[in-house]
Each structure stands twice: as structure tokens, then as C-alpha cells.
Amino acid sequence: SDIDSDELAAAAKGLQVSSEHLAIFLADIGEESHVHALNEHALERFGKLYGWVNNAGTVDLSPALQTTRASFVGQLSTNVVALFQCCQAAARAIRTGRAIVNVASNAGKVGLPDMVGYNASKAAVINLTRNLAEEWATCGINVNAVCPGSVSTPMLRRVAEYLAGKTISTPTKCWRDSYPIRLVEPSSHSRSVE
């Protein structure tokens, strides 16, 4: 699911999964009713849930002293609160032996400049995942997190453009300089949660 229909269609196409194993659903996970509708859609489509991946996220870029309360709370709302509601919905529908995977970020472990809300929210996702893994293990539900670094997405391109605007660099050079180890494509990232 995604809030943007074009992004949703592109993501579905990039997965290279047969239509019998794929369902797409336009939803804003910030709306609790959309989370429930998404869950219902998946159950109607497949009969049961085999797993659930929480990959929605948002980032607002600004120095910490210039970050507004609305920006900070908005990132926490999408990246943590909505993710938690999705975890709850999935856990209620998932049977024993299934998994929930939360996409956190390396930013939740290292803290990157001008991303205070994002960093804090992804750190919260890491600890939330630890808590849910402990609590739901007795129900036979695995809850794990992945903490990717640089994944080639529109959001990371916006980060690179922002950083380039603060320097005399280009977005591409800034992207490479900021993430020198390896830039991965979303398809590589998706294999880590299979």
C-alpha cells in the first residue's frame, strides 16, 4: 500500500511478483481506518496473512534548532505511531509462525545531521520492534527490523538535494559522498525482508 498511486504502481511493478501473490491498496497509514481497511483487503484477497512489512516513512530536513514541533511530531506520527497501528492490525490477523518486519534505518542508530525527527523516529522503531518481538514471541509471531543505509528512493534523492543545497556539490556527488559504502536499489532491500 502507499498514499501515492503512482508510487504504488511503480513499487508493484518493481517487485516482479505474479498478480496472484500481489495486492495493491491505496492507503494513508496515518489514518487508523485506512489501516483496518488495508488489513481487511489483504484478508479478503489472500484468506490469511503470511506476513507484514511496514515500510512507510517520511523525513523533514532542517537543523535541530529550526525543526518545528509540527515537523517533529508529524515524523513521529507517521514513522512510529502509524507503524505501531499497522503492527497491531497485523498481529490480530496473523497466525502462529508468521512475521512482521519493520523497516527502521541506520539513521536510527547513528543520528545524521538535519534529520532529528527522522533519526528519533527510526530509533523508536528499533526499540518498538524489540518490545513487540519479546511480547508477541509467545504468540508465535516473529517481529524484526531491518536498518538499511542508502536505498535509492525518491526520499533519499530529496535528502541528497537538500544536502547539495547546503554545499557547493551536486545532488549526485552529495549522495555518493554521504553514502560511500554502497547505494542499493529497492529490489535489493526487499530481498532482505523475504
Side-chain angles (χ1 to χ4, degrees):
S1 91
D2 199 308
I3 194 169
D4 181 300
S5 59
D6 293 336
E7 291 288 330
L8 180 60
K13 184 177 179 183
L15 288 174
Q16 299 175 352
V17 174
S18 71
S19 61
E20 69 185 73
H21 295 105
L22 180 67
I24 60 173
F25 191 78
L26 194 62
D28 176 357
I29 63 158
E31 298 291 332
E32 195 169 1
S33 63
H34 287 212
V35 173
H36 293 299
L38 172 61
N39 195 11
E40 294 287 324
H41 177 74
L43 288 171
E44 286 174 16
R45 175 76 170 85
F46 300 111
K48 59 184 174 181
L49 290 182
Y50 296 90
W52 187 289
V53 177
N54 290 308
N55 192 37
T58 188
V59 62
D60 286 340
L61 299 157
S62 64
L65 287 175
Q66 296 172 10
T67 298
T68 65
R69 177 183 173 88
S71 170
F72 193 82
V73 170
Q75 290 171 88
L76 290 174
S77 180
T78 298
N79 298 349
V80 183
V81 176
L83 178 138
F84 176 61
Q85 290 177 325
C86 288
C87 286
Q88 288 178 312
R92 289 182 179 115
I94 285 179
R95 298 197 173 112
T96 299
R98 305 299 184 210
I100 297 170
V101 178
N102 295 324
V103 179
S105 171
N106 192 48
K109 298 192 294 184
V110 300
L112 301 169
D114 295 354
M115 297 172 61
V116 67
Y118 184 79
N119 297 338
S121 70
K122 291 304 183 171
V125 168
I126 293 166
N127 273 339
L128 172 66
T129 301
R130 288 179 179 134
N131 179 267
L132 297 179
E134 179 72 25
E135 193 171 321
W136 294 344
T138 58
C139 303
I141 299 172
N142 277 331
V143 185
N144 295 293
V146 293
C147 297
S150 49
V151 179
S152 179
T153 63
M155 188 166 79
L156 188 60
R157 282 188 284 282
R158 284 194 316 274
V159 170
E161 289 167 3
Y162 171 85
L163 294 173
K166 293 182 72 170
T167 67
I168 56 170
S169 185
T170 66
T172 303
K173 182 171 178 358
C174 194
W175 189 337
R176 284 192 203 121
D177 291 348
S178 297
Y179 304 96
I181 297 172
R182 192 177 112 195
L183 180 65
V184 298
E185 292 299 318
S187 59
S188 297
H189 168 62
S190 68
R191 285 193 295 273
S192 68
V193 299
E194 287 179 344

